Amino acid sequence: MPIDASLRFSLLILCLTATDVQAKNGSLLQNGFFVKRASLTDAAPLVPQQAALAQPSGADVSRGAVALRPGAASLFRGRASGGLFAPIQVLPSAAKQLMTLIAGAEAGKAGYDAVQHGARIRPAKPPTDMTIEELYQWIDATPGQPHAIGRYQFIPATLRRLVRHQAVPLNKPFSPEVQDQLAHQLLEEAGLSDFLAADMPRADFMLNLAKIWAGLPTTSGKSYYEGYAGNSAVYTWDYFDAHFRKIFPG
């Protein structure tokens, strides 16, 4: 048929298709007239991310890179106006003890200056002497190696997310105080406040902790990330369970 007639015919088909899609609460995507159901009226509302029920497909899928409970708020969240989180908040005693237990599995004696042992090119200075920006520069300049850093072994995706979330200025040192503040956010995302309020079962909270810190065991005695990028549990389950009960008796 003539070109004009063919064009009019194609436009007619497109209009009829779009009308049919609209009647069915759909949207027309410009990809070979591919039609996909995409109604705004019957779409499921966004819900907070749920904790994974199975092991991740890779070493960097979780470990704090994605918040287990996005709505959880830390004592230190968004307190970076002017000075760094001024006035400095005081962590509850139980949170401090739990952080120490976690740090024993993650950083060992190196503590706040720990660098993942697999890092071939280490930072030029101890982590606590570096600013957040300097840490980012080291990470970006040394691709292809592990970069877990500090007392809580933050992986890059987790570190960047928490720094943004807490509005930490990039020129601030990666000090023990800053590391504790970032780690406290992870505790809250794991369910610390809900656990203390008896709104979360102990087993769920401990599993959430193991989903963030690979050195902690699950009830099987293995890391939640066992075998991924060389991860394994540092503690036995009995050790973790006994020390957890000392921190949170009853």
Side-chain angles (χ1 to χ4, degrees):
M1 67 178 64
I3 294 177
D4 289 346
S6 176
L7 179 60
R8 287 196 297 271
F9 180 76
S10 297
L11 290 174
L12 177 61
I13 293 298
L14 177 60
C15 291
L16 290 174
T17 303
T19 301
D20 181 62
V21 170
Q22 185 177 11
K24 296 178 180 179
N25 292 325
S27 65
L28 183 65
L29 305 182
Q30 295 179 358
N31 181 16
F33 299 145
F34 175 71
V35 178
K36 178 181 179 181
R37 295 279 298 178
S39 170
L40 294 178
T41 57
D42 62 3
L46 293 177
V47 296
Q49 300 165 9
Q50 299 298 314
L53 297 179
Q55 285 188 329
S57 58
D60 289 340
V61 170
S62 186
R63 290 211 59 193
V66 177
L68 290 175
R69 298 159 53 79
S74 167
L75 289 171
F76 308 99
R77 180 176 179 177
R79 298 186 59 83
S81 57
L84 177 60
F85 306 112
I88 296 296
Q89 297 284 324
V90 177
L91 283 170
S93 175
K96 286 183 178 181
Q97 294 179 61
L98 180 56
M99 286 179 176
T100 298
L101 181 62
I102 292 167
E106 292 292 320
K109 294 180 180 179
Y112 293 100
D113 284 321
V115 179
Q116 217 274 359
H117 61 82
R120 301 181 306 278
I121 304 174
R122 299 173 67 85
K125 299 183 291 186
T128 53
D129 290 340
M130 301 173 70
T131 65
I132 301 294
E133 181 61 32
E134 287 174 328
L135 285 178
Y136 288 175
Q137 291 172 357
W138 167 67
I139 291 168
D140 294 340
T142 56
Q145 69 171 18
H147 294 100
I149 196 86
R151 192 184 194 217
Y152 309 100
Q153 290 292 277
F154 300 105
I155 63 172
T158 304
L159 179 63
R160 294 180 192 272
R161 179 179 73 80
L162 294 172
V163 165
R164 287 195 304 268
H165 186 74
Q166 301 241 7
V168 181
L170 299 185
N171 64 350
K172 292 296 181 181
F174 192 53
S175 64
E177 292 77 18
V178 168
Q179 293 185 42
D180 286 349
Q181 290 167 1
L182 298 179
H184 184 263
Q185 181 67 43
L186 292 177
L187 292 185
E188 286 300 326
E189 291 174 3
L192 175 61
S193 290
D194 284 347
F195 168 68
L196 293 176
D199 291 331
M200 174 179 284
R202 173 176 165 276
D204 289 357
F205 180 47
M206 295 181 75
L207 177 59
N208 283 346
L209 293 174
K211 289 177 179 178
I212 296 173
W213 284 286
L216 300 179
T218 61
T219 53
S220 69
K222 295 183 178 181
S223 168
Y224 185 76
Y225 301 92
E226 192 77 25
Y228 290 96
N231 286 313
S232 62
V234 174
Y235 297 148
T236 65
W237 172 255
D238 287 343
Y239 182 93
F240 181 40
D241 183 57
H243 283 72
F244 188 93
R245 289 178 184 274
K246 287 181 181 179
I247 299 171
F248 304 105

